[in-house]
Structures are given as structure tokens and as C-alpha cells.
């Protein structure tokens, strides 16, 4: 359990500081698969509920969302660099600070329930996801930040022992999937509108 | 039988999908809206209606919000027929996009019906997130760059906001333990729950759903989204979606100690009134003007809930009054934008002379939303003021009054410039009755609510306000 949490945390830190898109998306997919193991590890035996949740997590966070993002990176002409408003050194330093802050908040305010490390790691992912969303320039990176934030909340919820009936849990996954799907569609549409506008500009200049 | 109410919007969405022309789709939407309203009337006599275990429960409070959703949806669906016909004639939109509008608007209404009839707070969360997802395609319906950027901002900011609300749900479930997370069970047990987690839960509910509700300083997406959507969709976003987010905050209120929650509601409320008070006067786009007014009115509503006491039923009444006046204004704005071919306030001049009925509706709507008698919002705003003074919040109430006066002046200036000002003549467009009749009905409703607040309604709201009071 703790090994899993540490791996999730390390992947999160890699996601926060990586300068290129593809490695970041691969880390995101790995994080999705690891999160998918959580329901299986938490339930006493392998139950239908745990299996369904695990499958849904892996399908949405491990496969579907990374696929959408990979498609966006390769089809959209945006390059590999995930440009940031702050330098890489500053990002590394701030990510470390945010991790510390998350652990301090968790222990100081006694937020962590049965799984202290999990709660703190979840909060770290939440903070670093928000950080990514605010400092990264490109749309794909912002979506990655959003998914990291969601992963953090998922981990934090699992560590606090909050669980709902299966339809609600599946509804939550469906919402996340549709949100990222729509963001993907919008990225393509915005790109197309940009080129369309440029095309028109050239056209009017010729007249 | 609350789940039966999901059928009309669902059927109308399917009808729009199968429709052969945009007019058939519009007919389906209007029929769905009428059926939803009729269903709500039938259901109103047997409340609360529970279904699907502890997932659904439509009580009186949910029914009040459902009536607003259904009524506004009916007005907007009649309007949208005329509006899109004019847009198609002007070549601004194609038939495929009109069909898309009808599909998404019905799914959007469906998700709001789920919000108001949810019993389980996590189901409510799923439904609120679904409202974001179903309404985002409405914002970029026209497919221009501004619309897409607005939709992008809307999706991203609201999704993060809603994610924070989910953190609130996690804290609430930490506090509640084995108690089901329903809006009836949690308040009943609140006395035995860890107050620390209850307070955290409320804070995250308020910030999270507050983002969706348009409370400042989380409101930054709202003016973009509401100004880019086509007029009937803007009306739905402003007139009913914000209410649904507000209801989601109210649902946990009875479990939270008032000493903690009231100051927070007052703070967010007064900031949300103050920000528009500075920005309304300088707005250049008619729909952005209305969007800022929505932020202000959501602020007024949360201020009223924060004041408590007699301000609480007034706040609930203001939800209705704001919806009626704001939907009216968005519908008239859509008409003016088509007529003048621009959203810029400076270019919309002399409406009363060029299109007397539209001008009359515009000026009436501006008076109503500015809080002038004899329209409905005057009474609810006054009730909140009186409740605040009676509750001992003298300084805040005074500040609220000053801000309202500033806003009144700004709205009146914009309104009279547009209605009476001198400007170039537009090309004469004939009046479109499908657009004007719903707006007339709404103006009449706002006037009626101002001249004579129905005694039965006020009594019902006083009963409801005990359901939304902090513990």
C-alpha cells in the first residue's frame, strides 16, 4: 500500500517538473494504472465492486485520457516542449515546497484518517496539479494538471475511506472522462479556428 | 415518482436527435418543457417524492427550484424557435447547429432536474458536473474563436471548482462515517459529528459550488461564458444554472453551525455585489453587462442567507425574482443583438423609437433588475436589507444599500441610453412574436410579483427557509 503511494507521489513529482509532453503523459497513464490498483488493495477480497472500480479507473485514467492527450500532442502542431511561466529550477523548488506544505497541512490539521501517507500524497498531487494548471502555458499541459488534481482528490478520498455506491462512483468517472474528452475536442476546434482565421487574413490581403 | 420527471427532457433530446428539421427539434423542446412543467405541477401535491433508494428525493425546496427551471425552460424554448429562425434567415447559423442546440439544451435541463431532485450529495455532485459538460457545447455553438475560448475557460475553471466541492464531500463523509450522505440524514446527525470536518466540508462546498454559482472572486469565467452563448442559452445559464449551484450549497446548510457559515456567506455575498458595482458602469457589451448583474444577484442571495432570520425567505424569493428579470433581459438582448447586429451597448441606441415593444421590455427589465419598484426584485432586495438590519448586521446592511444605489445608477444610465439615446437607424426588422411573447410574459410576471407578492408563495417560502437555516 505504502509502496504504491510512494510510486504515485514520485510520478506526480515527475509530472510536475517534466519539460516534455510525451514523458509527462506516460507518467500520467502510469499513475492512472496504479490508482486502479487501489480499490483492489483496499477491499478484503476481490469483490465485484472493487473489480468494477478498478477496471473503470484503469480504463479512464490509464487508457482513455492518456490516449486523448497523446492524440492532441501528435495531431496539434504545438511541439514537444511544455512551456512554463517559471523556470525549471523554480518549478523543482516550488514542487518540493508544495510537497512539504501538503505533508505539514495533513499532519498539523489532522486531516489524514487511516492512511496518513496516502492523504498527504493525495494533497501533494492536488497542489502540484493546481500549480501545473496555473504555470503551464499550453492547453494540453493544463489538462494534464487538471487530471493530476483529480488523481490527488481520488487518492485523498481513498485514504480518508470515503466510498459511495457503485452508480455514483461510475458517474464520477464518466464525468471526468467526458470533461477531458470535451477539453480535447475544444483543443482541436480552437486550433482549427486559428488556422482558419489565418487563412482568411491571407485571403483578404490578396484582394 | 420523481424519476418520471427525467423523461420529458430526455425524450425531447432524443426527438431533437431524430428530428428532420430544426423546427421539429424546436417543437420537441417546447413540448418537453411544457410536459416538465405539467409533471412538476402534478408532483407538487405529493411531496417529498423518493426513488432509487437514497439517491433521489424531491422535497418542497427542490420543487421550488424545479418550478423555476421548468418555467424558464418553457419561456426560452418558445423564444428559441423565433430566435434561431431569425439567425438562420440572417445566415448566422446553420440547421445542423440549431439541432445541436436542441440536443444539448435538453440534456442540460435533464442534468438540472437531477440536481434539484438528488437526495444523495455525491449524486448531486455528479449532476452539477454534468450541467457543466452539457452546457459547454452551447457556449461554443456558433463555432467562433471567442466562443471556444469562453467554453475552454468555463470547462477548466468550473471543473476545478467542482473538484473542490468534491473535496468537501470527502470531508463530509469523513465526518459522517456510516451515516448516508443525504441532505436529510447528515443534518439530523450533525450534533454528533466532528465539527472540524463539517466546517471544512462547508468551506469547500462554498468555494466549489460558489465557483459554479458565480460568486466573486471565483466568477472570472462567467462574463465570458454568458456573453458568448446564444441568447436563449445565456438566459438558461444565468437564470437557472446559477440557482442550481446555489441549491447545492443550501443542501448542506442545516448541518453547519451558523456562527461559522453565516459570516462566510455574508463575506462572499458582499464581495460578489461589490465587484459588479465597480464594473457594471464601464461595460461595453450588453450581455457582459447582464452577466455581471448575475454575479451581483447571486451575491445578494447569499448575503440574504448569511443574514438569516427574515432575510432568508426574502433571499429565496430573490432567486425567483432574479430569474424572471434576468431571463427577460437576456431574451430582449438577443432580440436587440439581431436587430442592431452588434452586442456593443454604444451601438444600441434609440430602441424605444425604432422598436417600441422591445424598447419597453428592455427598459422595464432594466428597472426590474436594478431593484426599482414596482417590480419583484425591489421587494426581495428590500426584505434582505430589512432582515439584515433586524439581525444586527447594521454596517454590512448599510454597505449593501450603498452598493445597490451605485448599481441602480449604472443600470439606469445604460438602460436609458439604449432605450432613449440618439443613434443611427438600423435596417427595419419586423417584430418576431415568438421572441416577444415570452419576454412580455416575463415582464408581466415580474410586475405582478412587485405589485402583489402572492401571500401563499411568501408563506411557503417562510416554511422553506427553515429547511435552509444553519444549525
Amino acid at each position: 500500500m505504502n509502496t504504491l503511494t510512494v510510486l504515485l507521489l514520485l510520478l506526480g513529482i515527475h509530472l510536475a517538473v517534466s519539460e516534455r509532453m510525451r514523458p509527462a503523459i506516460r507518467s500520467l497513464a502510469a499513475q492512472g494504472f496504479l490508482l486502479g490498483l487501489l480499490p483492489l488493495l483496499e477491499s478484503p477480497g476481490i469483490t465485484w465492486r472493487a473489480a468494477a472500480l478498478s477496471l473503470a479507473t484503469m480504463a479512464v485514467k490509464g487508457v482513455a485520457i492518456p490516449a486523448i492527450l497523446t492524440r492532441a500532442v501528435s495531431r496539434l502542431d504545438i511541439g514537444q516542449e511544455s512551456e512554463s511561466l517559471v523556470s525549471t529550477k523554480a518549478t523543482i523548488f516550488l514542487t518540493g515546497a508544495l510537497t512539504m506544505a501538503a505533508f505539514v497541512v495533513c499532519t498539523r490539521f489532522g486531516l489524514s484518517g487511516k492512511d496518513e501517507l496516502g492523504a498527504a500524497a493525495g494533497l501533494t498531487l492536488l497542489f502540484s496539479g493546481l500549480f501545473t494548471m496555473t504555470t503551464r502555458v499550453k492547453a494540453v499541459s493544463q489538462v494534464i494538471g487538471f487530471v493530476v488534481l483529480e488523481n490527488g482528490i481520488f487518492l485523498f478520498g481513498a485514504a480518508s475511506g470515503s466510498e459511495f455506491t457503485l452508480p455514483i462512483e461510475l458517474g464520477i468517472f464518466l464525468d471526468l472522462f467526458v470533461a477531458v474528452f470535451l477539453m480535447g475536442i475544444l483543443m482541436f476546434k480552437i486550433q482549427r479556428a486559428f488556422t482558419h482565421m489565418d487563412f482568411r487574413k491571407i485571403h483578404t490581403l490578396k484582394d | 415518482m420523481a424519476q418520471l420527471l427525467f423523461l420529458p427532457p430526455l425524450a425531447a433530446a432524443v426527438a431533437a436527435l431524430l428530428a428532420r428539421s430544426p423546427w421539429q427539434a424546436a417543437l420537441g423542446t417546447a413540448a418537453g418543457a411544457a410536459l416538465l412543467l405539467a409533471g412538476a405541477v402534478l408532483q407538487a401535491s405529493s411531496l417529498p417524492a423518493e426513488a432509487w433508494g437514497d439517491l433521489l428525493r424531491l422535497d418542497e425546496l427542490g420543487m421550488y427550484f424545479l418550478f423555476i427551471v421548468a418555467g424558464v425552460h418553457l419561456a426560452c424554448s418558445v423564444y428559441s424557435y423565433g430566435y434561431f429562425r431569425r439567425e438562420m434567415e440572417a445566415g448566422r447559423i446553420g440547421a445542423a447547429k440549431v439541432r445541436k442546440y436542441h440536443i444539448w439544451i435538453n440534456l442540460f435541463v435533464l442534468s438540472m432536474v437531477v440536481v434539484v431532485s438528488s437526495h444523495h450529495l455525491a449524486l448531486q455532485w455528479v449532476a452539477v458536473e454534468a450541467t457543466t459538460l452539457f452546457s459547454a457545447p452551447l457556449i461554443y455553438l456558433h463555432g467562433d474563436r471567442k466562443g471556444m475560448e469562453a467554453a475552454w475557460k468555463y470547462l477548466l475553471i468550473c471543473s476545478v471548482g467542482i473538484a473542490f466541492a468534491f473535496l468537501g464531500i470527502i470531508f463530509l463523509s469523513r465526518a459522517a462515517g456510516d451515516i448516508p450522505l443525504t441532505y436529510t440524514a447528515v443534518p439530523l446527525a450533525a450534533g454528533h459529528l466532528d465539527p472540524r470536518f463539517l466546517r471544512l466540508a462547508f468551506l469547500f462546498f462554498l468555494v466549489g459550488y460558489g465557483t459554479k454559482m458565480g460568486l466573486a472572486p471565483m466568477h472570472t469565467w462567467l462574463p465570458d461564458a454568458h456573453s458568448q452563448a446564444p441568447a436563449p442559452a445565456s438566459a438558461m445559464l444565468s437564470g437557472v444554472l446559477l440557482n442550481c449551484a446555489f441549491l447545492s450549497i443550501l443542501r448542506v446548510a442545516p448541518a453547519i453551525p451558523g456562527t461559522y457559515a453565516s459570516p462566510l456567506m455574508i463575506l462572499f455575498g458582499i464581495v460578489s455585489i461589490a465587484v459588479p458595482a465597480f464594473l457594471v458602469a464601464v461595460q461595453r457589451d450588453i450581455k457582459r453587462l447582464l452577466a455581471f448583474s448575475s454575479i451581483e444577484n447571486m451575491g445578494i442571495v447569499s448575503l440574504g442567507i448569511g443574514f438569516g432570520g427574515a432575510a432568508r425567505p426574502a433571499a429565496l424569493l430573490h432567486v425567483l425574482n432574479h430569474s424572471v428579470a434576468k431571463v427577460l433581459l437576456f431574451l430582449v438582448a438577443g432580440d436587440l443583438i439581431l436587430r442592431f447586429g452588434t452586442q456593443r451597448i454604444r451601438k444600441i441606441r434609440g430602441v424605444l423609437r425604432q422598436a417600441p415593444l422591445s424598447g419597453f421590455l428592455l427598459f422595464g427589465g432594466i428597472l426590474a433588475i436594478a431593484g426599482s419598484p414596482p417590480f419583484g426584485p425591489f421587494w426581495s432586495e428590500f426584505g434582505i436589507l430589512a432582515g439584515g438590519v433586524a439581525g444586527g448586521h447594521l454596517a454590512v446592511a448599510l454597505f449593501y444599500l450603498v452598493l445597490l444605489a451605485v448599481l441602480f445608477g449604472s443600470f439606469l444610465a445604460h438602460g436609458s441610453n439604449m432605450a432613449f439615446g440618439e443613434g443611427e437607424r438600423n435596417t427595419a426588422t419586423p417584430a418576431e412574436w415568438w421572441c416577444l411573447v415570452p419576454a412580455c410574459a416575463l415582464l408581466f410576471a415580474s410586475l405582478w410579483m412587485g405589485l402583489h407578492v402572492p401571500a401563499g408563495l411568501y408563506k411557503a417560502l417562510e416554511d422553506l427557509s427553515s429547511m435552509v437555516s444553519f444549525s
Side-chain angles (χ1 to χ4, degrees):
Chain A
M1 190 80 175
N2 279 349
T3 329
L4 187 69
T5 312
V6 171
L7 277 176
L8 281 169
L9 194 59
L10 288 176
L11 284 170
I13 291 171
H14 175 247
L15 272 162
V17 301
S18 78
E19 287 173 344
R20 300 178 72 76
M21 303 268 195
R22 280 179 199 281
I25 295 173
R26 273 199 289 274
S27 287
L28 195 69
Q31 217 176 41
F33 272 109
L34 291 179
L35 281 174
L37 293 176
L38 270 181
L40 291 177
L41 288 175
E42 280 190 343
S43 74
I46 296 190
T47 58
W48 277 111
R49 189 193 133 80
L53 280 181
S54 167
L55 206 67
T57 315
M58 288 186 184
V60 170
K61 297 190 167 175
V63 180
I65 290 177
I68 292 171
L69 293 173
T70 312
R71 204 177 116 90
V73 170
S74 55
R75 294 281 182 85
L76 298 175
D77 189 21
I78 52 174
Q80 273 297 308
E81 300 289 315
S82 53
E83 289 165 44
S84 173
L85 297 172
V86 292
S87 70
T88 310
K89 269 185 196 164
T91 305
I92 293 172
F93 176 75
L94 286 170
T95 305
L98 286 175
T99 311
M100 301 257 282
F103 276 79
V104 170
V105 166
C106 252
T107 46
R108 187 69 185 271
F109 296 96
L111 295 185
S112 37
K114 50 174 188 165
D115 179 6
E116 287 191 15
L117 186 63
L123 214 55
T124 307
L125 292 186
L126 193 158
F127 286 169
S128 76
L130 268 182
F131 180 72
T132 304
M133 287 186 81
T134 44
T135 56
R136 302 281 167 166
V137 182
K138 285 178 181 165
V140 176
S141 302
Q142 290 185 336
V143 179
I144 291 177
F146 172 62
V147 179
V148 171
L149 182 151
E150 287 277 349
N151 286 350
I153 290 178
F154 186 87
L155 184 58
F156 187 82
S160 319
S162 77
E163 48 181 50
F164 311 111
T165 50
L166 199 58
I168 292 180
E169 299 265 14
L170 294 180
I172 294 168
F173 283 114
L174 192 66
D175 271 351
L176 176 66
F177 171 69
V178 176
V180 174
F181 185 71
L182 269 177
M183 288 173 192
I185 289 179
L186 268 173
M187 278 191 267
F188 278 95
K189 286 197 176 237
I190 290 174
Q191 168 104 354
R192 213 184 310 153
F194 266 110
T195 47
H196 183 68
M197 297 267 290
D198 290 346
F199 173 73
R200 269 219 308 233
K201 216 180 278 169
I202 294 165
H203 194 74
T204 37
L205 279 178
K206 267 184 186 167
D207 278 337
Chain B
M1 300 297 269
Q3 72 272 37
L4 283 184
L5 292 169
F6 300 164
L7 283 178
L10 193 64
V14 174
L17 197 66
L18 301 175
R20 283 206 216 100
S21 71
W23 319 130
Q24 286 179 358
L27 190 66
T29 304
L35 276 176
L36 181 63
L37 193 59
V41 170
L42 286 178
Q43 185 71 73
S45 56
S46 56
L47 292 176
E50 299 193 23
W52 295 351
D54 62 359
L55 288 184
L56 296 181
R57 183 175 189 272
L58 186 62
D59 62 349
E60 289 81 359
L61 184 65
M63 184 51 91
Y64 177 58
F65 281 79
L66 180 64
F67 269 127
I68 301 178
V69 172
V72 168
H73 180 41
L74 185 60
C76 289
S77 59
V78 172
Y79 176 90
S80 67
Y81 170 70
Y83 179 80
F84 284 117
R85 194 168 73 177
R86 273 167 76 182
E87 277 219 310
M88 282 178 74
E89 278 166 7
R92 281 166 50 113
I93 198 168
K97 282 183 176 165
V98 176
R99 179 211 297 273
K100 258 188 205 160
Y101 169 85
H102 287 289
I103 296 171
W104 289 114
I105 200 86
N106 283 302
L107 292 175
F108 176 41
V109 169
L110 173 66
S111 59
M112 289 192 287
V113 177
V114 179
V115 172
V116 299
S117 52
S118 295
H119 193 202
H120 199 287
L121 295 170
L123 175 70
Q124 185 180 37
W125 181 90
V126 171
V128 173
E129 173 69 7
T131 60
T132 311
L133 303 175
F134 289 143
S135 54
L138 293 171
I139 293 170
Y140 67 85
L141 189 75
H142 280 109
D144 57 325
R145 216 181 93 192
K146 273 187 182 168
M148 286 181 209
E149 283 176 7
W152 174 261
K153 213 169 159 185
Y154 174 60
L155 258 181
L156 224 58
I157 295 179
C158 284
S159 295
V160 172
I162 303 280
F164 278 128
F166 195 76
L167 216 51
I169 289 180
I170 291 174
F171 286 130
L172 200 63
S173 87
R174 253 314 272 294
D178 292 334
I179 297 157
L181 275 192
T182 58
Y183 68 75
T184 47
V186 174
L188 271 181
H192 315 289
L193 305 181
D194 186 346
R196 217 160 38 101
F197 283 106
L198 282 180
R199 287 199 295 263
L200 268 176
F202 183 72
L203 183 64
F204 280 96
F205 265 78
L206 187 56
V207 171
Y209 290 137
T211 307
K212 195 79 210 266
M213 184 184 162
L215 290 181
M218 296 88 71
H219 67 280
T220 48
W221 59 272
L222 194 148
D224 295 320
H226 289 199
S227 61
Q228 289 306 318
S234 301
M236 295 288 285
L237 288 168
S238 250
V240 287
L241 179 57
L242 304 181
N243 297 348
C244 288
F246 176 57
L247 176 68
S248 309
I249 299 174
L250 288 184
R251 286 300 195 193
V252 286
I256 315 298
T259 46
Y260 176 76
S262 288
L264 275 175
M265 294 292 282
I266 292 175
L267 180 69
F268 276 108
I270 204 82
V271 172
S272 306
I273 306 170
V275 169
F278 289 109
L279 292 173
V280 159
V282 297
Q283 286 309 308
R284 281 177 290 195
D285 181 313
I286 182 168
K287 280 168 102 182
R288 286 184 79 87
L289 174 78
L290 300 181
F292 272 106
S293 149
S294 296
I295 298 169
E296 174 222 338
N297 281 286
M298 287 300 118
I300 292 176
V301 166
S302 73
L303 187 70
I305 295 294
F307 280 161
R312 229 180 279 123
L316 289 177
L317 182 64
H318 194 67
V319 169
L320 174 62
N321 277 330
H322 164 247
S323 290
V324 171
K326 185 53 57 66
V327 171
L328 157 67
L329 276 170
F330 266 115
L331 299 189
V332 177
D335 175 73
L336 295 180
I337 290 164
L338 286 180
R339 208 174 268 280
F340 287 81
T342 177
Q343 298 196 182
R344 297 183 66 180
I345 295 172
R346 202 147 46 97
K347 293 276 173 70
I348 301 174
R349 287 289 183 262
V351 184
L352 213 52
R353 193 162 29 85
Q354 303 186 26
L357 185 54
S358 296
F360 177 71
L361 290 169
L362 172 75
F363 201 66
I366 290 275
L367 281 179
I369 209 71
S372 155
F375 295 98
F378 170 75
W379 290 109
S380 43
E381 286 178 7
F382 180 76
I384 290 168
L385 181 73
V389 172
H393 303 277
L394 208 59
V396 183
L398 200 65
F399 188 44
Y400 162 65
L401 191 62
V402 171
L403 291 175
L404 280 187
V406 172
L407 282 158
F408 181 80
S410 311
F411 276 114
L412 216 60
H414 280 306
S416 54
N417 281 340
M418 283 189 281
F420 308 109
E422 285 291 328
E424 49 192 292
R425 287 196 75 86
N426 67 46
T427 46
T429 345
E432 170 64 78
W433 289 102
W434 291 105
C435 290
L436 292 175
V437 168
C440 288
L442 288 164
L443 186 70
F444 178 73
S446 191
L447 194 62
W448 187 57
M449 299 270 298
L451 293 176
H452 158 83
V453 181
L457 177 65
Y458 204 76
K459 176 79 184 58
L461 290 179
E462 278 182 333
D463 293 341
L464 284 187
S465 68
S466 67
M467 297 168 70
V468 301
S469 62
F470 299 112
S471 69

